[in-house]
Amino acid sequence: MSQKVRIAVLGASGYTGADLVRLALTHPNIEIVALSANAKAGQAMADVWPHFAHVPLPGLVRADEIDWAGIDAVFGCLPHAASAELLSTLIGPRIIDLSADFRLNDAQTYADWYGNEHPAPELLPDAIYGLTEFAADLLPAARIAACPGCYPTAALLALLPLFEAGLVGHERITINALSGVSGAGRSLKEANLFTEVAEAVHPYGIGRHRHMPEIEQELSKRANGPVTISFTPHLVPMNRGELETITVELMPGKTVADLRAALGHRYAAAPFVHLLPEGKGPSTRMVRGSNHCVMNVFEDRIPGRAIVIVAIDNLVKGSSGQAIQNMNLMFGLPETAGLLQAPLFP
Amino acid sequence: MSQKVRIAVLGASGYTGADLVRLALTHPNIEIVALSANAKAGQAMADVWPHFAHVPLPGLVRADEIDWAGIDAVFGCLPHAASAELLSTLIGPRIIDLSADFRLNDAQTYADWYGNEHPAPELLPDAIYGLTEFAADLLPAARIAACPGCYPTAALLALLPLFEAGLVGHERITINALSGVSGAGRSLKEANLFTEVAEAVHPYGIGRHRHMPEIEQELSKRANGPVTISFTPHLVPMNRGELETITVELMPGKTVADLRAALGHRYAAAPFVHLLPEGKGPSTRMVRGSNHCVMNVFEDRIPGRAIVIVAIDNLVKGSSGQAIQNMNLMFGLPETAGLLQAPLFP
Amino acid sequence: MSQKVRIAVLGASGYTGADLVRLALTHPNIEIVALSANAKAGQAMADVWPHFAHVPLPGLVRADEIDWAGIDAVFGCLPHAASAELLSTLIGPRIIDLSADFRLNDAQTYADWYGNEHPAPELLPDAIYGLTEFAADLLPAARIAACPGCYPTAALLALLPLFEAGLVGHERITINALSGVSGAGRSLKEANLFTEVAEAVHPYGIGRHRHMPEIEQELSKRANGPVTISFTPHLVPMNRGELETITVELMPGKTVADLRAALGHRYAAAPFVHLLPEGKGPSTRMVRGSNHCVMNVFEDRIPGRAIVIVAIDNLVKGSSGQAIQNMNLMFGLPETAGLLQAPLFP
Amino acid sequence: MSQKVRIAVLGASGYTGADLVRLALTHPNIEIVALSANAKAGQAMADVWPHFAHVPLPGLVRADEIDWAGIDAVFGCLPHAASAELLSTLIGPRIIDLSADFRLNDAQTYADWYGNEHPAPELLPDAIYGLTEFAADLLPAARIAACPGCYPTAALLALLPLFEAGLVGHERITINALSGVSGAGRSLKEANLFTEVAEAVHPYGIGRHRHMPEIEQELSKRANGPVTISFTPHLVPMNRGELETITVELMPGKTVADLRAALGHRYAAAPFVHLLPEGKGPSTRMVRGSNHCVMNVFEDRIPGRAIVIVAIDNLVKGSSGQAIQNMNLMFGLPETAGLLQAPLFP
């Protein structure tokens, strides 16, 4: 337990990077060696992040100033394209990437959805899709763990066990998603101003959100062919949290009880994924600030269907927490190391 | 235009009653004669409502203290059952009821969903379902206008024109709804505390919300048989606002453009219901504090389906505003009288 | 009452401009003729403001495109310096300026606090300080009404009557102010992002906020010499609203009751300024979205002092509402025309 | 370090109790043995607290069901009066009380402010005032640690070093405080409903809040006589966080730099109290969810005065975190054990 993984965080000036640092600070096996943010290089983390005002941390540097010789693992918290471009030049550290660059197996699908050629298609075979609960076997030997998007994390944790057990149809999967504003990052857009978001709710990316191909890719792997989903995310006036309400069609003879049994069985030993007691609705306040995921299944009023509801903290299980969970397994540490904080409520 | 409708508001100590008073105060044709609230009778409105601290208003009385001789119209803002019980004893004033008591045509359906016998089934034939845009012909002669629930208001405004035009299937109507907290009323429940609601989102009434039979009743009237819907409401940390994201199946050969055309045509002359320009997503901030409703239609990624999104202010178009809109038509006033406030933003 | 004032709004793409348009839309004596926003000229208001999606309004133009011949009054909602620069070129319309440019009587004080030379010092003698309740005599003949800042509006409404009556000392006036985020405008600053503001509170402009000289100027006019105040504003996670808690020292023999009496007397006939009943604390929810101001006075535990608390909506009485109130008096209209909306709560 | 303190938490159904459990869960030296909540005895913590849905914890019992033989320390999270009544019957465990019962040294002052006779005045001499940074010498031997109220914690951390160093006058200490809603507890009051609190701010307990005598008691101990303060708390729409803006009068010849130097010196080795860099304003987002306290000093515009600003999380450093910090010192553990979580932001 005294082993320390020496890490660098690329893009430590974004919310994802900052939350990774927050979790790393109390992780018993992590030593934070380098923090990069090209546009803010030279500044102290305390200048960029008021909540680190009292925490000793390395200063922000440009990525090309990092001495990679002393780094065991690098967390990529950069925007897509920039991430693969930079990470493809590294030799040495194992990579946990939180961008979209290594999530899609197919470079053409990536280009179709992200609008740019993939910067490092040669690395795609080295990357495993790091939905930890479904990648535990692959992570110990992986060079690159591609951490899922926040929406896919919730959707796949809920749906994959149902697909694996053959309980639900592959058509008409309808996902309605609600997200806190931190999912939009810290960039300066009018749409993210307090006054634009508070006391209001609205959909965005209707019918064409970039997290869709990722969900479809992973679901298709468990189905008899390509799966097409409906997905509508909404922005909700809260900092953190993500909740998805998913309607599915039951295979003939299957029931809500069967779905609950499958999820309960699949996650019986999972430290972070929890099936709630029958009838209890998930809420994002059950997981705020933590790496936990809660879910449940309900009867739909339309016969032959069920409603699956799942909640995570988008910045933790949906991003930085899962990244550390992946690191833990890559380096032979306990899966829960550094991640057992209880949720913050209220 | 100088005619004044003399009104009484029953249940003026709830949010619905208070918002009705807010709108009535600047209505050119309303005189507020009596305000009741049995539990708070004897108090001034300013004591119960801080935002009326500076407004001269009649004091709160018990409902049985009201002299009905001088009242032209009564707005019922009482809980269900209590509402019909009281209103059934009145002779004289025309009734605009905001409770659930006169919405369902069938007393048995009412009993099934609300858990009590209907207090005045003999009045049901006198009540018209007051979704104003679909009741304009009936309101002038109506004795009782049963104002729709907030969720049904949004859902039906979006769906009825599509059903009427035969553009969408009657199966698999899936409604995901988001609501501000005022929809829960002013009653003291732990679930409504600031600390329980802020920075969180959660579903409730999953698969069995009382607004479902009302939506089904009105949709079924336009269909070839009974319609069963899926409906999942969620509580969002904001005071006001309601947004519904509805997936529908297109009839063969029909397109999103057809749906948009039908809505545009149906509401071309409607002062409060607006089809947004193509591609523009509705948001509750577009309607906050106003009687307006905005909607739009989008391609679903699943072929043969569409996503219809609609937003209202739950307390105005979803409740008190629509009630006044109904009163306007019942009394031969301009439909928009007293209701042209622009939304409050930010 | 059928007279229409034909208005132009300069800077209609900011929150102040938009709230002015919101109020003007239902004002019985206003015709909106032109709306300018240089950076967004050519766009429709509905594109810039989602809540005007369904409202017919003139499109945005550049200020130099406006035909001033047809304009009776111009509302300046531009940033300081830009405002005076533009307004100084206009001949014809009467000016209601919401910027800081005409508030300070002394061009040097202006330069000291705002960092630029005054663009039009020759106009300063033509401007009156438009705190409506204290400018009623001057407004009918005024060419330029300089609308007070939001913080000064609240502070001066509370303090001026106490100064006039000689009830409080001129030293150690300590003002703690709380403001909603709309006061920061719609500009893209990291500090205004939802995620930076929500679930947090912080002071800003400590000891050196630009609204200080304005408060001091007006207080000094009623005192025997220069008044220096302490003023600390704080940003609170809400869209609108401003509350100031002010500690004052009582003149010998004076009491809280004397202060209450003076305020009650001063505002007995004021339609928008209200002394609350004894013991009742002001709250911003009493005035949200309205032109009202509520205040009260309390015993301080430190003998010989009192606590004066005052609340307004920063965008209405603190900005656009007061501007219209000023216009009403400039044009001989009823002071309350277009401003009688009750507050929006919840 | 392997020593475990076996604890009981009385009143685990309140926010303070719950946050204590949250922190205890990851404390390396705490074993949670018993949790009481008389009104909810028999329920699981997961039923009472949704965020503990996935955490194994003892079930809630009545306080009189606890076997005290196995308890090393008891945390009292009960309302005042009830707390002392129960704790006075215990023999054995050391007591960390979070109620008001043991904070005031004088039973008569207690009775004057709390309205009831002190239930156990004989215990007052055994209690030390547990503002940890000023009680480190006394805690190791203390039988009862009376944890300060949240407001006094912030005020005293900021003011005591200034009093000790003789830098500020003892008169006209004016404290304006802002608090999140969790400070009001989980009890069902209309004033705590989301809809009453969101999008608004208001003062309460003006001139007579129960935390005043506590602040005065501790300040008076460092002064040449009784100190009387001005204190006005305000409720802000956020879950957690407390910020106090304090104006003080400088002793002749003293400067803001002297005050900063004194605070910097006093807390140089304090793990949780931090003087911010010159000019940087404290914000509650710097400490959310953590045991940290940040403060700073600024020039007031009124000569001879300074503005001291201090921020804490009211439930952590203002309550449960400080309680555990006290327990750490009482039991010879490192002061920071279990309390090093970085703040949660955004």
Side-chain angles (χ1 to χ4, degrees):
Chain A
M1 283 290 280
S2 66
Q3 176 200 353
K4 291 271 187 185
V5 181
R6 305 201 300 167
I7 72 166
V9 179
L10 304 179
S13 61
Y15 289 140
T16 301
D19 222 37
L20 205 139
V21 169
R22 172 180 72 91
L23 295 166
L25 275 166
T26 49
H27 193 295
N29 308 101
I30 286 183
E31 181 187 349
I32 302 173
V33 176
L35 301 171
S36 89
N38 287 1
K40 302 196 174 175
Q43 297 189 38
M45 278 291 272
D47 294 330
V48 175
W49 295 110
H51 64 307
F52 291 149
H54 33 73
V55 179
L57 280 168
L60 290 166
V61 298
R62 293 183 48 84
D64 56 21
E65 296 177 273
I66 297 175
D67 175 8
W68 293 103
I71 310 290
D72 300 313
V74 56
F75 289 89
C77 302
L78 298 170
H80 69 92
S83 192
E85 223 165 288
L86 180 59
L87 293 173
S88 65
T89 67
L90 299 188
I91 299 170
R94 296 172 78 182
I95 293 171
I96 301 118
D97 188 31
L98 291 83
S99 86
D101 283 345
F102 299 104
R103 295 174 188 162
L104 297 175
N105 306 136
D106 180 50
Q108 186 56 49
T109 306
Y110 173 89
D112 291 346
W113 283 85
Y114 288 90
N116 59 278
E117 290 303 300
H118 196 288
E122 72 282 3
L123 287 183
L124 289 178
D126 290 356
I128 62 124
Y129 189 77
L131 184 70
T132 324
E133 284 72 12
F134 292 81
D137 292 347
L138 301 170
L139 284 163
R143 184 171 159 227
I144 304 176
C147 297
C150 51
Y151 289 123
T153 295
L156 294 170
L157 286 175
L159 290 174
L160 285 182
L162 308 182
F163 269 56
E164 289 181 341
L167 296 171
V168 299
H170 300 155
E171 300 194 332
R172 302 198 189 86
I173 303 283
T174 304
I175 305 174
N176 263 267
L178 311 178
S179 175
V181 187
S182 60
R186 210 185 198 189
S187 58
L188 296 183
K189 293 182 214 154
E190 190 176 276
N192 297 340
L193 294 178
F194 181 89
T195 33
E196 305 286 316
V197 174
E199 274 289 305
V201 69
H202 67 270
Y204 67 100
I206 309 165
R208 55 185 161 69
H209 190 280
R210 283 169 171 175
H211 282 178
M212 295 174 85
E214 195 182 326
I215 299 172
E216 292 178 349
Q217 166 185 287
E218 296 303 307
L219 290 181
S220 298
K221 289 177 185 167
R222 273 80 178 182
N224 294 324
V227 173
T228 302
I229 59 160
S230 172
F231 175 71
T232 311
H234 302 73
L235 195 70
V236 170
M238 58 184 185
N239 283 319
R240 291 166 176 256
E242 206 159 272
L243 185 133
E244 299 184 8
T245 297
I246 309 173
T247 47
V248 295
E249 307 207 336
L250 299 169
M251 295 299 277
K254 300 304 179 185
T255 67
V256 163
D258 295 329
L259 272 57
R260 281 186 38 83
L263 293 172
H265 182 258
R266 180 61 178 81
Y267 296 120
F272 297 118
V273 187
H274 313 279
L275 178 70
L276 292 175
E278 195 176 342
K280 188 160 193 167
S283 161
T284 60
R285 66 181 165 158
M286 294 177 178
V287 297
R288 190 187 303 155
S290 83
N291 200 49
H292 292 287
C293 169
V294 291
M295 59 179 63
N296 213 342
V297 190
F298 301 85
E299 300 276 356
D300 191 5
R301 183 161 159 84
I302 297 180
R305 307 208 316 182
I307 301 171
V308 187
I309 305 181
V310 55
I312 60 171
D313 182 312
N314 58 305
L315 286 181
V316 190
K317 182 58 179 168
S319 186
S320 305
Q322 183 160 249
I324 287 177
Q325 192 182 353
N326 284 336
M327 186 207 82
N328 286 343
L329 295 191
M330 290 168 83
F331 285 83
L333 298 165
E335 184 173 354
T336 59
L339 294 172
L340 286 176
Q341 299 87 344
L344 190 72
F345 173 77
Chain B
M1 282 289 278
S2 64
Q3 176 198 356
K4 290 272 185 185
V5 181
R6 305 200 299 165
I7 72 165
V9 180
L10 304 179
S13 61
Y15 289 139
T16 301
D19 222 36
L20 205 138
V21 169
R22 173 180 72 90
L23 295 166
L25 275 166
T26 49
H27 193 296
N29 309 101
I30 285 183
E31 181 187 348
I32 302 174
V33 175
L35 301 172
S36 88
N38 287 0
K40 300 194 175 177
Q43 297 189 38
M45 278 292 271
D47 293 331
V48 174
W49 295 110
H51 64 307
F52 291 148
H54 33 73
V55 180
L57 279 170
L60 289 167
V61 298
R62 293 183 48 84
D64 55 21
E65 297 177 90
I66 297 176
D67 175 8
W68 294 103
I71 309 289
D72 300 313
V74 56
F75 289 89
C77 301
L78 298 170
H80 69 90
S83 192
E85 223 165 289
L86 180 59
L87 293 173
S88 64
T89 67
L90 299 188
I91 298 170
R94 294 172 79 182
I95 293 171
I96 301 120
D97 188 32
L98 291 84
S99 86
D101 283 344
F102 298 104
R103 295 174 188 161
L104 298 174
N105 307 136
D106 180 50
Q108 185 56 49
T109 306
Y110 174 89
D112 290 346
W113 284 85
Y114 288 89
N116 58 279
E117 290 304 301
H118 197 289
E122 71 283 5
L123 288 183
L124 289 178
D126 290 354
I128 61 124
Y129 189 77
L131 185 69
T132 324
E133 284 73 12
F134 291 82
D137 293 346
L138 300 172
L139 283 163
R143 184 171 158 226
I144 304 176
C147 297
C150 51
Y151 290 123
T153 294
L156 294 170
L157 286 175
L159 291 174
L160 284 183
L162 308 181
F163 269 55
E164 288 180 340
L167 295 170
V168 300
H170 301 155
E171 299 196 333
R172 300 198 191 86
I173 302 284
T174 304
I175 305 173
N176 263 267
L178 310 178
S179 174
V181 187
S182 61
R186 210 185 198 188
S187 58
L188 296 183
K189 293 182 212 155
E190 190 175 276
N192 296 341
L193 294 178
F194 181 89
T195 34
E196 304 287 317
V197 173
E199 273 290 302
V201 68
H202 68 269
Y204 67 100
I206 310 164
R208 52 182 163 74
H209 190 280
R210 284 171 170 175
H211 282 178
M212 297 174 84
E214 194 181 326
I215 299 172
E216 293 178 349
Q217 166 184 289
E218 297 302 308
L219 290 180
S220 297
K221 289 178 187 168
R222 273 81 178 181
N224 294 324
V227 173
T228 301
I229 60 162
S230 172
F231 175 72
T232 311
H234 302 74
L235 196 70
V236 169
M238 57 185 186
N239 283 320
R240 289 167 178 258
E242 205 158 273
L243 185 133
E244 298 184 8
T245 297
I246 309 173
T247 47
V248 296
E249 309 208 333
L250 300 169
M251 295 300 277
K254 300 304 179 185
T255 66
V256 162
D258 295 329
L259 272 56
R260 280 184 41 80
L263 292 172
H265 182 260
R266 179 64 177 80
Y267 297 120
F272 297 118
V273 186
H274 313 280
L275 179 69
L276 293 174
E278 196 175 343
K280 187 158 192 167
S283 161
T284 59
R285 66 179 164 159
M286 295 178 178
V287 297
R288 189 188 304 152
S290 84
N291 199 49
H292 292 287
C293 169
V294 292
M295 59 178 64
N296 213 343
V297 190
F298 302 85
E299 300 276 355
D300 191 6
R301 185 163 158 81
I302 296 181
R305 305 208 318 180
I307 301 172
V308 187
I309 305 182
V310 54
I312 59 171
D313 182 314
N314 58 304
L315 285 182
V316 190
K317 182 60 180 166
S319 186
S320 304
Q322 182 158 250
I324 287 177
Q325 193 183 352
N326 283 337
M327 186 208 80
N328 286 343
L329 294 192
M330 289 169 83
F331 285 83
L333 298 166
E335 184 173 356
T336 59
L339 294 172
L340 287 175
Q341 299 86 345
L344 190 73
F345 173 77
Chain C
M1 282 292 279
S2 66
Q3 177 198 355
K4 291 271 185 185
V5 180
R6 305 201 300 166
I7 70 166
V9 180
L10 304 179
S13 62
Y15 289 139
T16 301
D19 222 36
L20 205 138
V21 169
R22 171 180 73 89
L23 295 167
L25 275 166
T26 49
H27 192 296
N29 308 101
I30 285 183
E31 180 186 350
I32 303 173
V33 175
L35 301 172
S36 89
N38 287 0
K40 301 195 174 176
Q43 298 190 37
M45 279 291 272
D47 293 331
V48 175
W49 295 111
H51 64 307
F52 292 148
H54 33 73
V55 180
L57 279 170
L60 290 166
V61 299
R62 292 184 48 83
D64 55 22
E65 296 177 271
I66 297 176
D67 174 8
W68 293 103
I71 309 290
D72 300 312
V74 57
F75 290 88
C77 301
L78 298 170
H80 69 93
S83 192
E85 224 165 287
L86 180 60
L87 293 173
S88 64
T89 66
L90 299 188
I91 298 169
R94 297 172 78 182
I95 294 170
I96 300 119
D97 187 32
L98 291 81
S99 87
D101 283 345
F102 299 105
R103 295 174 190 161
L104 298 175
N105 307 135
D106 180 49
Q108 186 56 49
T109 306
Y110 173 89
D112 291 346
W113 284 85
Y114 288 90
N116 58 279
E117 290 303 300
H118 196 287
E122 71 282 4
L123 288 183
L124 289 178
D126 290 355
I128 62 124
Y129 189 78
L131 185 69
T132 324
E133 283 72 14
F134 292 81
D137 292 346
L138 300 171
L139 283 164
R143 184 172 158 226
I144 304 176
C147 297
C150 52
Y151 289 123
T153 294
L156 294 170
L157 287 175
L159 291 174
L160 284 183
L162 307 182
F163 270 54
E164 289 181 341
L167 295 171
V168 299
H170 301 155
E171 300 196 331
R172 303 198 189 86
I173 303 284
T174 304
I175 305 173
N176 264 266
L178 311 178
S179 175
V181 187
S182 60
R186 210 185 197 189
S187 58
L188 296 183
K189 294 181 213 154
E190 190 176 277
N192 296 341
L193 295 178
F194 181 89
T195 34
E196 304 287 316
V197 174
E199 273 289 304
V201 69
H202 68 270
Y204 68 101
I206 309 165
R208 53 183 164 72
H209 190 280
R210 283 170 171 174
H211 283 178
M212 295 173 84
E214 194 181 327
I215 299 173
E216 292 178 349
Q217 166 184 286
E218 296 303 307
L219 290 180
S220 298
K221 289 178 186 168
R222 273 81 178 179
N224 294 325
V227 174
T228 302
I229 59 161
S230 172
F231 175 72
T232 311
H234 302 75
L235 196 69
V236 169
M238 57 185 186
N239 282 320
R240 291 168 177 255
E242 206 159 271
L243 185 133
E244 298 184 9
T245 298
I246 308 172
T247 46
V248 296
E249 308 208 334
L250 299 169
M251 295 301 276
K254 300 304 179 185
T255 66
V256 162
D258 296 329
L259 273 57
R260 281 186 38 84
L263 293 172
H265 182 258
R266 180 63 178 80
Y267 297 120
F272 297 119
V273 186
H274 312 280
L275 179 69
L276 292 175
E278 195 175 344
K280 189 160 193 168
S283 161
T284 60
R285 66 180 164 158
M286 293 178 180
V287 298
R288 190 188 303 155
S290 83
N291 199 49
H292 292 287
C293 169
V294 292
M295 59 178 65
N296 213 343
V297 190
F298 302 85
E299 299 276 356
D300 191 7
R301 183 162 159 83
I302 296 181
R305 306 208 318 180
I307 302 171
V308 188
I309 305 182
V310 54
I312 59 171
D313 181 313
N314 58 305
L315 285 182
V316 190
K317 182 57 180 169
S319 187
S320 304
Q322 182 159 249
I324 287 177
Q325 193 183 352
N326 283 336
M327 186 208 80
N328 286 342
L329 294 192
M330 290 168 83
F331 286 84
L333 298 166
E335 185 173 356
T336 59
L339 294 172
L340 287 176
Q341 299 86 345
L344 190 73
F345 174 77
Chain D
M1 283 289 279
S2 64
Q3 175 199 354
K4 291 272 187 185
V5 181
R6 305 202 298 168
I7 71 165
V9 180
L10 304 179
S13 61
Y15 289 139
T16 302
D19 222 36
L20 205 138
V21 169
R22 173 180 72 91
L23 295 166
L25 276 166
T26 49
H27 193 297
N29 310 101
I30 285 183
E31 180 187 348
I32 302 174
V33 175
L35 301 171
S36 89
N38 288 0
K40 301 195 174 175
Q43 297 189 38
M45 278 292 271
D47 293 331
V48 175
W49 295 109
H51 63 308
F52 291 148
H54 33 74
V55 179
L57 279 170
L60 290 167
V61 299
R62 292 183 48 83
D64 56 20
E65 297 177 271
I66 297 175
D67 175 8
W68 294 103
I71 310 289
D72 300 313
V74 56
F75 289 89
C77 301
L78 297 170
H80 71 91
S83 191
E85 223 165 289
L86 180 59
L87 295 172
S88 64
T89 66
L90 299 187
I91 298 169
R94 295 171 80 182
I95 293 170
I96 300 119
D97 188 32
L98 291 84
S99 86
D101 283 344
F102 298 104
R103 296 173 188 161
L104 297 175
N105 306 137
D106 179 50
Q108 185 55 50
T109 305
Y110 174 89
D112 291 346
W113 284 85
Y114 288 90
N116 57 280
E117 289 304 301
H118 196 289
E122 72 283 3
L123 288 183
L124 289 178
D126 290 355
I128 62 125
Y129 190 77
L131 185 70
T132 324
E133 283 72 13
F134 292 82
D137 292 346
L138 300 171
L139 283 163
R143 184 171 160 228
I144 304 176
C147 297
C150 51
Y151 289 122
T153 294
L156 294 170
L157 286 175
L159 291 174
L160 285 182
L162 307 181
F163 269 54
E164 288 180 342
L167 295 171
V168 299
H170 301 155
E171 300 195 332
R172 302 197 190 87
I173 303 283
T174 303
I175 306 173
N176 264 267
L178 310 178
S179 175
V181 187
S182 60
R186 210 186 199 189
S187 57
L188 296 183
K189 293 182 214 155
E190 190 175 275
N192 296 341
L193 294 178
F194 181 88
T195 34
E196 305 287 316
V197 174
E199 273 290 303
V201 69
H202 67 269
Y204 67 100
I206 309 165
R208 53 183 164 71
H209 190 280
R210 283 170 172 176
H211 283 179
M212 295 174 85
E214 194 181 327
I215 299 173
E216 292 178 349
Q217 166 184 289
E218 296 302 308
L219 290 180
S220 298
K221 288 178 187 169
R222 273 79 177 183
N224 294 324
V227 174
T228 302
I229 60 161
S230 172
F231 175 72
T232 311
H234 302 73
L235 196 70
V236 169
M238 58 186 187
N239 282 320
R240 289 166 178 257
E242 205 159 274
L243 185 132
E244 298 184 8
T245 297
I246 309 173
T247 47
V248 296
E249 309 208 332
L250 299 168
M251 295 300 277
K254 300 305 179 185
T255 67
V256 163
D258 295 330
L259 271 56
R260 280 185 39 81
L263 293 172
H265 182 259
R266 179 63 178 79
Y267 297 119
F272 297 117
V273 187
H274 313 280
L275 180 69
L276 292 174
E278 196 176 341
K280 188 159 193 167
S283 161
T284 58
R285 66 180 165 158
M286 294 177 177
V287 297
R288 190 186 305 153
S290 84
N291 199 50
H292 292 288
C293 169
V294 292
M295 58 178 65
N296 213 342
V297 190
F298 302 85
E299 298 277 355
D300 192 5
R301 184 163 158 82
I302 296 180
R305 307 208 316 181
I307 301 171
V308 188
I309 305 182
V310 55
I312 60 171
D313 182 313
N314 58 304
L315 286 181
V316 190
K317 182 58 180 167
S319 185
S320 304
Q322 182 158 251
I324 287 176
Q325 192 182 353
N326 283 337
M327 185 209 80
N328 286 344
L329 295 192
M330 290 168 83
F331 285 83
L333 298 165
E335 185 174 354
T336 59
L339 294 172
L340 287 175
Q341 298 87 344
L344 190 73
F345 173 78

